[in-house]
Amino acid sequence: MLNYDLYPYKAEMEADASTELRIQQNTKRKVSMMQGELITNIREDILGVGCRVYKNGLYGFASTPDLSSTGIKGVLKKASQNAGLLSSKIKTAKPAMLLPVGNGRYVTDYMMKTSDQKVYIDALRELDSYIIKNCPGLLNRSIVATEDSMEKLLAVSEGHDSHSIIPRSYIYVFMTVEGADGSPVEVFEPIGGFGVFEDNFASLDEAFKVTDELYKRAMDKKTAVYAKAGLKTCILGGHLTGMLAHEAVGHTCESDLVLSGSVAGEYLGKEV
C-alpha cells in the first residue's frame, strides 16, 4: 500500500491553474503453465509521481520516479513550466477550469495484500493435477494465473482528493481437443474478478467447478458443426451488448475523435 502524504503539496499549486498531482503504483503478476511445465513467471512493480497542470487553455505534464519532497516539488514546477511553454507558442489565454464540483477526500478501506510467486505457482500445479486426473483425452492444456492492481494517491487544486486501489486477479484455463475432422479445437474460460489472488483463490473449488464445465464444452465441441452462412437473428447477452455499445458508440463519441471528423459529430445536438 502507498504510504505517502501528498496533501501538503497542495500549498505549492498555482492559484491561477488547475492542478492534478498523483502518485501511482502499478503491479503485475503472471504465471503460466503448458502441459505442466512452467513457461512464464513475471513480477513487475512500477511506481512514480506525475503532475498535470491546466493553464491558459493548455495542459503541461511532468513525471519522475523520485518520490522525495524534492522530486514531487520538481514535477509540480516542471508541469507548470510545460503548460507555460505551450501557451507561449499557442496564444489561447483561456481561464482556469474552476468547476463547481465541491471539495472532499475519498480514502479506500481495501487493504492490499502481496503474495509470493510461490502462491501462484502452487495454485496452478494443484489445478493442473486436477485436470490431468479429471479431463482425459486432451491434446493440450494451458493455465495462466494473473494479478494486477492500480493504486493512486491524488491531490487536486479543486475537487476531491483520493486514495484508490483497483486489484483484480484471474485464472485462465485453456483446453485443446481433436475435432471430428482431425483439426484442433480450443476452449477457454477466465475465473476470478476484483481482489488480489488470495482473495479469489484461497480455495480452488470454483476453479475445479469451472474446469469440469469447460471440459464438457470441449467434448461437446468435438462434434460441433460450422454455422451456415447468411443473415441470422441473434440474441445477445448483456455483457456482449455492453461491449459493442462501448466500442461502436462510446469510442466514436470521444471528443478528440469528434473534433477530428468522427461520424458522431454529425449528430451533436440532434435527436436520433
Side-chain angles (χ1 to χ4, degrees):
M1 298 287 288
L2 293 177
N3 188 26
Y4 298 91
D5 188 1
L6 269 187
Y7 307 117
Y9 296 97
K10 290 164 72 77
E12 306 283 335
M13 297 177 181
E14 291 188 43
D16 62 342
S18 298
T19 303
E20 303 161 4
L21 180 64
R22 178 180 78 241
I23 291 178
Q24 181 168 329
Q25 178 169 257
N26 294 347
T27 67
K28 179 182 178 180
R29 317 284 185 251
K30 183 176 181 180
V31 173
S32 64
M33 288 183 176
M34 179 180 292
Q35 296 291 84
E37 295 293 330
L38 183 66
I39 58 173
T40 305
N41 188 7
I42 295 173
R43 189 177 188 91
E44 182 179 90
D45 295 83
I46 301 174
L47 176 64
V49 58
C51 181
R52 187 172 76 158
V53 174
Y54 178 87
K55 185 164 58 174
N56 298 328
L58 297 163
Y59 283 105
F61 180 80
S63 64
T64 179
D66 180 5
L67 298 180
S68 68
S69 178
T70 301
I72 295 172
K73 290 180 179 179
V75 296
L76 270 166
K77 182 178 180 181
K78 189 64 177 177
S80 182
Q81 289 175 343
N82 288 341
L85 175 63
L86 288 174
S87 63
S88 70
K89 306 295 182 182
I90 305 172
K91 308 295 184 179
T92 57
K94 293 182 179 180
M97 293 187 296
L98 301 176
L99 305 175
V101 294
N103 296 303
R105 184 175 297 175
Y106 165 81
V107 178
T108 181
D109 58 2
Y110 183 85
M111 295 303 296
M112 182 75 175
K113 300 179 285 292
T114 300
S115 300
D116 293 331
Q117 291 299 100
K118 185 177 185 298
V119 171
Y120 310 99
I121 295 171
D122 288 348
L124 290 195
R125 283 180 173 155
E126 184 179 351
L127 181 55
D128 190 63
S129 295
Y130 182 88
I131 295 173
I132 293 172
K133 180 180 178 181
N134 296 279
C135 306
L138 298 178
L139 287 180
N140 190 42
R141 66 186 189 277
S142 298
I143 44 179
V144 182
T146 67
E147 178 188 301
D148 60 73
S149 69
M150 184 181 294
E151 184 176 5
K152 298 179 184 180
L153 279 171
L154 180 66
V156 296
S157 55
E158 64 270 340
H160 282 68
D161 304 319
S162 69
H163 180 188
S164 63
I165 183 167
I166 303 176
R168 59 183 182 175
S169 56
Y170 291 90
I171 288 178
Y172 295 83
V173 181
F174 298 83
M175 295 181 183
T176 305
V177 297
E178 184 177 337
D181 60 356
S183 62
V185 176
E186 184 181 79
V187 294
F188 81 96
E189 189 69 30
I191 312 157
F194 180 88
V196 296
F197 194 80
E198 291 191 69
D199 289 338
N200 290 322
F201 302 107
S203 165
L204 290 178
D205 289 348
E206 178 65 18
F208 295 154
K209 178 183 175 183
V210 172
T211 296
D212 291 338
E213 296 169 351
L214 186 64
Y215 180 66
K216 183 179 184 305
R217 280 170 46 197
M219 293 298 104
D220 291 342
K221 198 169 182 179
K222 289 178 67 171
T223 55
V225 297
Y226 290 102
K228 293 181 179 179
L231 295 175
K232 306 291 182 182
T233 298
C234 297
I235 301 175
L236 304 179
H239 284 93
L240 182 56
T241 52
M243 182 183 72
L244 289 174
H246 168 85
E247 299 295 343
V249 180
H251 286 303
T252 312
C253 293
E254 291 172 359
S255 58
D256 55 341
L257 294 180
V258 171
L259 292 173
S260 64
S262 162
V263 66
E266 299 177 16
Y267 299 96
L268 288 179
K270 300 178 182 178
E271 292 186 9
V272 294

